[in-house]
Amino acid sequence: QVQLVESGGGLVQPGGSLRLSCVVSGFTLDDYAIGWFRQAPGKEREGVSCITGSDGSTFYSSSMKGRFTTSRDNAKNTVYLQMNSLEPEDTAVYYCAADKISCHRNMAYWGKGTLVTVSS
């Protein structure tokens, strides 16, 4: 059974950092692309980053590039999203998702999300 469980969200001040984790089970990270997405209140869900299964290549939304970094630890079945220089606009529920083909809006499997609040 495929499962993804996010953790690491919380309240952080503007300019601060957080590292989100996505622990997966039921598949290996070598075989699936993992995407991070977020949804802010009243807004549509948007893509944040993607790490491919085959070679671990990473891709980022232009607005996050340079501030966010995604990585994976295959031994721990975990994908990370390191978020630096956080802004109030980054407040959202962050989701990780998995798909055997690639990262896209309609990934096959989703976690339940973790809330990130950026506020002073």
Side-chain angles (χ1 to χ4, degrees):
Q1 181 180 1
V2 172
Q3 285 190 317
L4 300 93
V5 180
E6 305 95 335
S7 63
L11 175 63
V12 62
Q13 291 188 343
S17 298
L18 276 178
R19 188 178 79 160
L20 306 183
S21 299
C22 172
V23 179
V24 309
S25 58
F27 64 94
T28 61
L29 291 175
D30 285 340
D31 294 335
Y32 280 74
I34 303 295
W36 283 97
F37 298 80
R38 70 183 186 184
Q39 187 165 20
K43 295 187 177 181
E44 291 189 357
R45 186 172 62 203
E46 63 175 334
V48 173
S49 69
C50 178
I51 184 164
T52 62
S54 56
D55 61 2
S57 296
T58 55
F59 304 89
Y60 301 92
S61 170
S62 57
S63 61
M64 293 83 172
K65 197 171 185 179
R67 298 191 300 128
F68 292 7
T69 304
T70 190
S71 61
R72 70 185 188 188
D73 185 332
N74 286 15
K76 296 182 178 179
N77 294 324
T78 303
V79 176
Y80 302 100
L81 182 67
Q82 177 68 44
M83 305 186 294
N84 299 326
S85 302
L86 284 163
E87 305 165 352
E89 294 73 24
D90 295 316
T91 295
V93 177
Y94 285 71
Y95 302 88
C96 62
D99 195 279
K100 202 162 178 61
I101 307 300
S102 65
C103 291
H104 53 86
R105 291 182 61 85
N106 298 307
M107 304 281 279
Y109 304 99
W110 291 82
K112 294 184 178 181
T114 184
L115 176 63
V116 171
T117 303
V118 184
S119 175
S120 56

